């Protein structure tokens, strides 16, 4: 084994995470959908290389580019809290191929109740996996809580979509926006329910140097609220703008002759939106979130003040994705 290149820190962000542009570059890197095609063996080698680099030893001849690519694979496939390999469907790098198929189908098959029910159910099943996979891993959740979260979110999505379709009879364009309303409503339920343990017990908060300070429910609430906003923003452009595009296109004679291709076309267009919106939505807020000491629960704030005085103005925590 050889020493790590001088001055290289594999865990140091390549881009400034205090700016949106820096975070966007970071998430463009780790949500790259091409990484879902990387074999499991290569992901395991990347993890071993990253862990070796943290210990100060790497294989002889390892270049900076090889180390950075290993870190890209590691960040795309392994949980930042636990270091465990995430299931493929739940990874953010799978959001483009998975999300484009589901979003395209929801936008295409919105006219009949059975189609709405089926695709909203499939989408919420997908979202439940994503939300569970990207939770704060320091807060375990039971199978019963997962089941309640899944049923509640699916019920909310179906009630919103079916209710709007059956009882409001919206104009054609507004009817195309019903799937987005259902997805937004479900996200407001699914994410907090799937991560309820964080709200009940709090998430681990640390100082700037990652020294644990305690658990905060207010930090959990802030992180989860930001994730909800990010997920809705991720879906919004494709599910709001694409129906307008399709409404215009379907009036042309050539589009009326190729109705069978409307579904695949919407899937591809959804993919084009998500290719940018997945990293952009993830970059809206820092993943390592901060909260002012003054905004913490009184008991935790007093405990930190007693141990550290005014040396810890902010606490930090992983908000999840």
């Amino acid at each position: 084994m050889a020493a790590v290149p001088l001055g290289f820190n594999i865990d140091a962000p390549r881009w400034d995470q205090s700016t949106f542009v820096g975070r966007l570059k970071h998430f463009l890197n780790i949500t790259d959908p091409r990484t879902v095609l990387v074999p499991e063996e290569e992901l395991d080698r990347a993890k071993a290389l990253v862990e070796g680099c943290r210990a100060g030893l790497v294989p002889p001849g390892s270049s900076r580019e090889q180390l950075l690519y290993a870190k890209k694979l590691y960040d795309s496939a392994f949980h930042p809290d636990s270091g465990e390999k995430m299931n493929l469907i739940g990874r953010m790098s799978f959001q483009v191929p998975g999300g484009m198929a589901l979003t395209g189908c929801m936008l295409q098959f919105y006219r009949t109740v059975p189609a709405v029910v089926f695709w909203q159910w499939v989408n919420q099943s997908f979202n439940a996996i994503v939300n569970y996979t990207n939770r704060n891993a320091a807060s375990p959740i039971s199978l019963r809580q997962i089941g309640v979260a899944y049923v509640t979110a699916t019920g909310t999505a179906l009630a919103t979509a079916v209710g709007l379709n059956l009882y409001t009879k919206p104009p054609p364009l507004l009817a195309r926006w019903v799937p987005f309303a259902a997805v937004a409503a479900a996200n407001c339920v699914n994410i907090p329910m799937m991560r309820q343990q964080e709200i009940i017990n709090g998430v681990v908060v640390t100082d700037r140097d990652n020294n644990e300070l305690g658990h905060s429910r207010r930090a959990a609430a802030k992180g989860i609220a930001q994730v909800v906003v990010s997920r809705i923003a991720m879906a919004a452009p494709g599910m709001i703008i694409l129906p307008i595009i399709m409404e215009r296109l379907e009036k042309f004679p050539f589009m009326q002759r190729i109705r069978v291709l409307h579904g695949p076309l919407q899937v591809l267009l959804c993919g084009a939106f998500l290719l940018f919106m997945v990293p952009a939505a993830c970059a809206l807020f820092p993943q390592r979130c901060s909260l002012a000491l003054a905004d913490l629960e009184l008991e935790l704030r007093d405990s930190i003040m007693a141990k550290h005085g005014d040396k810890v103005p902010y606490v930090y925590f992983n908000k999840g994705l």
Side-chain angles (χ1 to χ4, degrees):
M1 301 296 282
V4 174
L6 186 64
F8 180 77
N9 179 0
I10 196 148
D11 289 315
R14 293 176 63 182
W15 300 280
D16 183 1
Q17 295 300 287
S18 66
T19 68
F20 173 76
V21 172
R23 295 193 297 271
L24 178 61
K25 291 178 179 178
H26 170 72
F27 283 108
L28 279 168
N29 188 47
I30 68 171
T31 64
D32 183 348
R34 293 174 296 181
T35 60
V36 302
L37 301 175
V38 174
E40 296 292 305
E41 296 78 9
E42 188 172 349
L43 293 177
D44 292 334
R45 286 195 296 270
K47 180 180 182 180
L49 187 55
V50 169
E51 291 176 343
C53 191
R54 287 171 176 166
L57 296 172
V58 294
S62 297
S63 66
R64 180 186 180 89
E65 289 70 26
Q66 289 174 321
L67 296 176
L68 290 175
Y69 181 67
K71 186 63 163 60
K72 171 180 178 172
L73 295 182
Y74 178 85
D75 287 342
S76 73
F78 294 88
H79 197 282
D81 288 337
S82 64
E84 295 179 357
K85 187 184 294 179
M86 297 183 286
N87 68 79
L88 178 65
I89 294 175
R91 297 174 195 169
M92 279 296 160
S93 53
F94 191 75
Q95 281 291 296
V96 172
M100 65 187 277
L102 290 173
T103 304
C105 289
M106 283 191 293
L107 292 178
Q108 178 64 23
F109 304 110
Y110 67 93
R111 294 180 176 88
T112 66
V113 171
V116 168
V117 169
F118 177 76
W119 288 110
Q120 287 292 339
W121 167 70
V122 173
N123 185 60
Q124 289 311 313
S125 300
F126 175 71
N127 284 343
I129 295 172
V130 173
N131 294 335
Y132 176 76
T133 302
N134 292 280
R135 73 199 186 285
N136 185 310
S139 301
I141 182 171
S142 69
L143 287 175
R144 180 178 179 276
Q145 290 170 324
I146 293 172
V148 171
Y150 171 70
V151 171
T152 306
T154 304
T156 301
L158 292 178
T160 303
V162 175
L164 289 174
N165 270 320
L166 288 180
Y167 299 112
T168 62
K169 300 299 181 184
L173 179 57
L174 292 182
R176 289 176 178 267
W177 285 337
V178 167
F180 173 68
V183 167
N187 271 323
C188 292
V189 175
N190 194 330
I191 297 169
M193 289 292 291
M194 190 62 71
R195 298 175 59 176
Q196 59 187 280
Q197 283 297 100
E198 299 173 39
I199 300 174
I200 296 170
N201 300 319
V203 294
V204 174
V205 294
T206 68
D207 61 16
R208 185 178 292 273
D209 299 319
N210 287 321
N211 297 307
E212 185 175 329
L213 300 171
H215 290 73
S216 171
R217 292 184 297 276
R218 291 187 180 180
K222 178 179 180 179
I224 290 170
Q226 291 183 351
V227 171
V228 170
V229 172
S230 295
R231 293 292 184 81
I232 294 174
M234 189 182 296
M239 299 190 80
I240 292 175
I241 298 173
L242 185 52
I244 299 174
I245 295 173
M246 292 302 296
E247 184 80 5
R248 301 283 179 85
L249 287 178
E250 287 175 2
K251 293 178 181 178
F252 290 102
F254 80 93
M255 284 292 288
Q256 294 174 8
R257 290 195 298 269
I258 57 169
R259 289 184 180 277
V260 70
L261 297 180
H262 289 190
L265 176 61
Q266 291 210 80
V267 168
L268 291 174
L269 291 174
C270 285
F273 277 104
L274 287 174
L275 200 59
F276 175 75
M277 283 311 303
V278 169
C282 290
L284 286 177
F285 307 101
Q287 185 168 359
R288 192 188 186 210
C289 195
S290 64
L291 187 66
L293 184 66
D295 294 330
L296 291 174
E297 298 90 330
L298 181 60
E299 184 179 350
L300 178 58
R301 184 171 70 226
D302 289 346
S303 172
I304 295 172
M305 289 287 290
K307 293 179 181 178
H308 304 282
D310 58 357
K311 295 180 180 178
V312 184
Y314 290 90
V315 297
Y316 301 86
F317 59 96
N318 173 28
K319 70 172 179 62
L321 286 176

